[in-house]
Structure formats: structure tokens, C-alpha cells
Amino acid sequence: METCATTPFDHAKADIILRSVDGVEFRVFTLFLSLASPFFETLFGLPQAPDATTNQEMKDGLAVIAVSEDSKTLDSFLRFCYPSTLAEDPSLENLTDALSVLAAARKYSLDLIERKVCQALVNPKVLETEPLRCFAISRNARLKHETIIAARHTLRQPLIPAWCAEIDLITASDLLALLTYHKKCSIAVQTLWNFKWITDHYRSENGCKWIFASGNGYNGCRCGRVEDRRFFLWGDRTVTWWTTYIQEVFELLKDSPSGDTVRIAADMTVQKVRGASCTACSGRVGENMAEFSNLLAQKVEEIVEEIELEMDF
């Protein structure tokens, strides 16, 4: 049994009815659809056969066109077609309807809606929390730019991702390509362990005395310095908590090779140092680690930028 769609698709002066596959009838204005879509412009511009010679279904004096989309998808893309004063654009932030709306947009040549869906898939707020879902939807839709951006954001998460329903949208080969990309990035960032980027940036020990807990203000430092030569800079010992951070962050980067991993680990180190009894280090650790972690995060992102997601589009 057919039902009528909600406002604004129930207008008494509408001039055509679109019926969804689940039986919901949308009373719409051909003008709005024609302006939004070349497909509808052509469809509604075709000469109409005399009533007696056509099998066109009519209802309340309006032609009824059956479409293959369900009512939820139809409602979403029709709202994009209507003026904003009559219907607000639907939110695609939860991604649930993104693929079906994108398919409808392509089918009906609604370029604006396709761009809107693409924008939703690279929305920083969505990517931050659900990069794998964005990747799967983008890959399924063969959106190269959006797929690559989503793949980059998956690096913030562990190598083996948590399951999501959209994983069924991609093939085993697609998932293998993503995991291979992730692994390559993990291996590549480990080259930063040589610390040349530190000596190149600071030039000398004087540029980063806090790493050695030396100089003015550090006379009372009780954090200690390591004897492990792997952590020596310019042939000198570094402060213990900094070497602990370096060990921890490079271990984390094996699983999540992202600049965010670096910054989050730095925040944790700051809290640890402030919670210790060394007043010499705790007063400056926030500023120093913010600057240092930004530097390391930048180096990580530069390396990852060079790694290619090997996938055909």
C-alpha cells in the first residue's frame, strides 16, 4: 500500500509523483528537479503522448514515476535538489546513507550531490573517528581522492582494524592493499630512529638543553641520564624520561604510524613528568615536548606522504 512522504514532499501543488521501491509517494516539483539534474531536465522535457495512447500511471491528475530507490534514499537526494528555504540538506555525517545517495546522484546526474557525499567522506570529524568506514565506502564507489585520504587516516589506528559493517563493501584484495600500505608506513617511519633529524634541527646541544637536563634551571634535576649510547646526542647522555618517551613512541608507531600517535604519547609523557618529583623538568616539559613532538610528527607525516597506496582505480 502506497503512503505519502512527509513535508515538503506532500505539497498539494506538486506536478509529479515519484514512487519509491517501498511504496512511498513523493509529490515534487519538476522545476526543482530539472534545475538540479540534467537527467530530470531531459526526462521532463520529452514530448508527452496523448492520454489514450500511453500506459502512464496517473494519480490525482499527476503522472506517477516509479524509481528503484527506497524512500530513505529518495528523501535524502530530493532534499539536496530543493531550495534550502523548503528543505534542509540531509546530514551525511553518520555515513549510513552515503553510498546509496551517491549511487542515486550518479544515476540521475546530480553532480552537486555527488560532491556533497565526497565532502562528507573526507569530513575531518568523521575521518577522525571512522576512517575505515570512510575508506570502505570510498573504495566501493571508486573515489580515488577520498579513498587515499581515508587510508591515511587509518594509520592513526592499529594495523588490524576493528570490524565494521562497511568492510563487506570491499574485496579481500582491497583490505590486503590497505594492510600492506599500513605496514609499509610502519616500517618507513622507523628510519627516524637514527636521530639525524634531531641534530639537523637543533644544530647543537645548546638548542635543546632540556633533552640533557643541563644548563640553567636544571641543577636540581633528579631524573637521571641514560648510559645507553643508542640515545646519545652529540656524544652526550640524554635525560631518562625523554629516552623512555622515544622508546615508547617508536614502539607505538609500529602499529599506528601517524603524527597523532606522536602527539598523544607526548601528552602522556608530560603528565608522567609533572607527576614525578623533579621540579626542574616539570615546569618546562609541556612547552618543550609540544615543540619536539610537533617536529617528530611532521617528520612522520613527511615519510608517510611518500608511501603509495597500491590500488587500481
Side-chain angles (χ1 to χ4, degrees):
M1 180 177 178
E2 291 77 24
T3 58
C4 187
T6 57
T7 304
F9 308 120
D10 58 352
H11 203 287
K13 294 186 178 181
D15 54 3
I16 200 165
I17 297 173
L18 299 183
R19 180 183 293 151
S20 67
V21 71
D22 52 344
V24 179
E25 295 180 344
F26 293 75
R27 294 172 178 260
V28 295
F29 292 91
T30 57
L31 174 62
F32 295 154
L33 303 190
S34 296
L35 290 174
S37 161
F39 175 92
F40 284 121
E41 183 180 21
T42 301
L43 176 66
F44 298 143
L46 293 174
Q48 300 299 310
D51 291 346
T53 62
T54 180
N55 293 322
Q56 174 66 59
E57 181 183 355
M58 304 294 291
K59 184 173 184 178
D60 300 333
L62 303 180
V64 178
I65 299 178
V67 298
S68 59
E69 288 73 31
D70 62 27
S71 57
K72 192 173 183 181
T73 302
L74 194 57
D75 183 273
S76 293
F77 86 76
L78 285 176
R79 288 181 185 278
F80 280 118
C81 296
Y82 265 49
S84 58
T85 53
L86 297 178
E88 293 184 3
D89 286 354
S91 173
L92 297 173
E93 285 188 2
N94 64 12
L95 301 181
T96 303
D97 307 316
L99 197 58
S100 59
V101 173
L102 178 61
R106 287 174 167 176
K107 174 181 175 181
Y108 297 112
S109 303
L110 293 161
D111 295 340
L112 174 62
I113 301 179
E114 184 169 353
R115 290 196 297 273
K116 291 279 189 180
V117 174
C118 291
Q119 290 171 5
L121 290 170
V122 294
N123 181 335
K125 184 167 66 173
V126 178
L127 281 171
E128 185 175 333
T129 57
E130 299 184 289
L132 184 59
R133 291 185 68 203
C134 292
F135 173 84
I137 293 171
S138 300
R139 175 55 182 166
N140 180 275
R142 293 302 186 267
L143 298 170
K144 182 176 182 179
H145 174 71
E146 290 73 15
T147 300
I148 292 173
I149 290 179
R152 176 73 58 80
H153 278 74
T154 64
L155 298 177
R156 302 179 180 188
Q157 299 183 345
L159 174 61
I160 304 301
W163 183 88
C164 66
E166 286 76 10
I167 204 72
D168 291 334
L169 296 174
I170 60 176
T171 65
S173 296
D174 293 334
L175 182 57
L176 179 60
L178 179 64
L179 297 179
T180 300
Y181 167 73
H182 198 296
K183 188 63 177 179
K184 285 183 176 179
C185 291
S186 299
I187 294 171
V189 299
Q190 292 299 314
T191 60
L192 292 170
W193 182 270
N194 64 21
F195 299 155
K196 185 177 183 298
W197 55 277
I198 299 178
T199 55
D200 286 348
H201 179 78
Y202 290 107
R203 301 299 180 95
S204 72
E205 187 173 332
N206 290 331
C208 53
K209 290 184 176 181
W210 60 273
I211 294 180
F212 307 89
S214 64
N216 293 335
Y218 288 100
N219 293 332
C221 176
R222 292 179 287 180
C223 294
R225 297 201 287 175
V226 298
E227 299 293 342
D228 189 338
R229 298 192 66 86
R230 292 180 303 159
F231 301 98
F232 280 25
L233 294 173
W234 296 284
D236 201 358
R237 296 174 300 161
T238 51
V239 69
T240 301
W241 59 260
W242 180 82
T243 62
T244 300
Y245 166 73
I246 290 295
Q247 287 179 298
E248 291 176 348
V249 76
F250 274 92
E251 190 63 31
L252 291 169
L253 286 169
K254 290 179 181 179
D255 206 29
S256 304
S258 163
D260 277 8
T261 301
V262 173
R263 295 186 181 95
I264 292 171
D267 289 341
M268 295 176 64
T269 294
V270 169
Q271 296 305 314
K272 290 177 184 177
V273 174
R274 285 177 175 169
S277 58
C278 180
T279 56
C281 290
S282 62
R284 312 178 192 187
V285 65
E287 179 182 353
N288 290 331
M289 284 301 294
E291 191 266 344
F292 181 81
S293 62
N294 283 334
L295 173 63
L296 177 52
Q298 178 186 337
K299 296 300 180 181
V300 168
E301 298 298 344
E302 288 174 358
I303 289 177
V304 167
E305 182 75 30
E306 299 300 318
I307 308 299
E308 182 180 356
L309 175 65
E310 296 182 1
M311 187 174 283
D312 295 328
F313 291 91

